[in-house]
Amino acid sequence: MNTDTRALYDQFVMPTYGRFDLTIERGAGCRVWTEDGRELIDFGAGIAVCSLGHAHPRITTAIADQAAKLVHTSNLYRTRQQAVLAEKLVGLIELPGKIFFCNSGAEANEGLIKLARKFGSATERHEILTFKNSFHGRTMAGISATGQDKVKAGFAPLLDGFQHLPINDLDAVRAAIGPKTVAILLEPIQGEGGIRLAKPEFLTGLRELCDAHNLLLLFDEVQCGLGRTGDWRGWKSIVPQGVEPDGISWAKGIANGFPLGGFWVGARSLDDRGPLCDLLGPGMHGTTYGGNSVACAAGLAVLGEIEEKGLLAHTRESGKYFAEALRALNSPLVAEVRALGLMIGLELVADFKEQIASTDARPPSLVLTTLLMDNGLLVIPAGEKTIRFLPPLNIERADIDAAVGILARVLAPAARTT
Ligand code: PLP
């Protein structure tokens, strides 16, 4: 066997990702080690996935114990872990409803889109309003829903019935609602789009419009949900009261890296059609692996740890501390810091590359991400000009200080190596 991992990738793994030149071998907490022995601070957490950091003993034990008992049965049968995780999630979000489990964020959104289609079928409505710069996954429905042209190029014809509107523009939404409109789907905090927050009055207005026109309000909380903002419900970090969605999708942080996704549907009554959460009935939706007992055991351990260790409050406090430290850098290279809990975006100035005299042809976000990586810090680019910090929710101040220190050094004129 070839001992050069990169060479094996080049020969045998499809080139669908713009990968960084790093082969990671192991992790512990917010640190990872590469095959060639380098240590890095990981403030990407696998793109907001490893909420409790790498190799967390509680999660490792939960996965190992369950794997020793039962891994998979298919959804032809019940398992205790799936039932208990569903109950736990409904309890944590404090909204009556039911859950469908799948394996990823794209699949969770696919389910919400099918829910909307089924809901609208009685009145011959199928159009879903989504937003510019959004990201909803890489399936055909996911890229059709996504408000970014780059994910769609070359894959026409896309799924019919999506419009992409400017976020925080209620008039645009009002004008777009027509006789075929059935739902509004949005990320309350856009992640891939650069940590862009919906405004409280926008979310409240969307709920009112949905009520007035009998539309479903669907939140994609794949990245911002389940604790990342310091609340189980990402949107509640923006608008604490009065906005309840009809559906929510999750994945990423739900099981610390063990593949698991899901979507919640509310229990509101559709009169003759029963509760909304029973609309997708037997045979209408499914997946072989979704919610298997190991994934659900991992999910239960993650949610239990966040709850018992008070990590929501810790996330809110750590996020404030971190965002303040970033703003205090006062770097002329930074245009803005946008933050909610531990979902933090740092937008670079338009002439970032000119200012640092970089000859790198890639967008500024990739240039800075690579510079930080070379200096021992992993972050995630978001769009052309923003980098994201998505550290584990149990991050400690010393690690935040270390990350800010690396950023400060990289942004400081004397330390630049381009
Ligand atoms: N929705 C949002 C908001 C996301 O950030 C992502 C992934 O980045 C997805 C959906 C797709 O999730 P997955 O990659 O697990 O399919």
Side-chain angles (χ1 to χ4, degrees), residues 276-348:
L276 182 64
C277 58
D278 287 345
L279 197 59
L280 293 176
M284 290 185 200
H285 196 50
T287 161
T288 301
Y289 292 120
N292 84 26
S293 44
V294 180
C296 289
L300 278 166
V302 168
L303 301 178
E305 181 74 6
I306 294 174
E307 198 176 26
E308 288 157 34
K309 297 284 163 62
L311 292 180
L312 294 181
H314 180 79
T315 296
R316 293 193 294 274
E317 286 151 20
S318 307
K320 266 195 201 122
Y321 176 80
F322 191 4
E324 271 162 30
L326 291 173
R327 291 189 183 112
L329 290 178
N330 251 327
S331 170
L333 299 172
V334 174
E336 193 181 19
V337 173
R338 293 184 290 273
L340 201 57
L342 285 168
M343 219 176 157
I344 298 180
L346 181 137
E347 184 174 327
L348 298 167

Side-chain angles (χ1 to χ4, degrees), residues 47 104-107 109 135-138 187 192 220 222-223 251-252:
I47 321 186
S104 68
E107 254 187 284
N109 286 329
F135 184 77
H136 298 295
R138 297 284 188 164
E187 301 164 76
E192 302 300 302
D220 177 345
V222 165
Q223 191 160 153
K252 291 194 180 281

Side-chain angles (χ1 to χ4, degrees), residues 4 15 38 53 66 104 141 149 171 197 204 210 223 261 274 297 300 314 330 385 400 408:
D4 180 348
R38 278 187 64 205
Q66 185 55 44
S104 68
D149 290 341
D171 287 338
L197 282 65
T204 308
C210 285
Q223 191 160 153
L300 278 166
H314 180 79
N330 251 327
K385 284 191 304 181
I400 295 177

Side-chain angles (χ1 to χ4, degrees), residues 72 74-75 82 100-103 107 259-261 286-293 295-296:
H72 175 78
S74 88
N75 281 298
Q82 189 175 132
F100 176 92
F101 288 107
C102 53
N103 311 282
E107 254 187 284
L260 179 65
T287 161
T288 301
Y289 292 120
N292 84 26
S293 44
C296 289

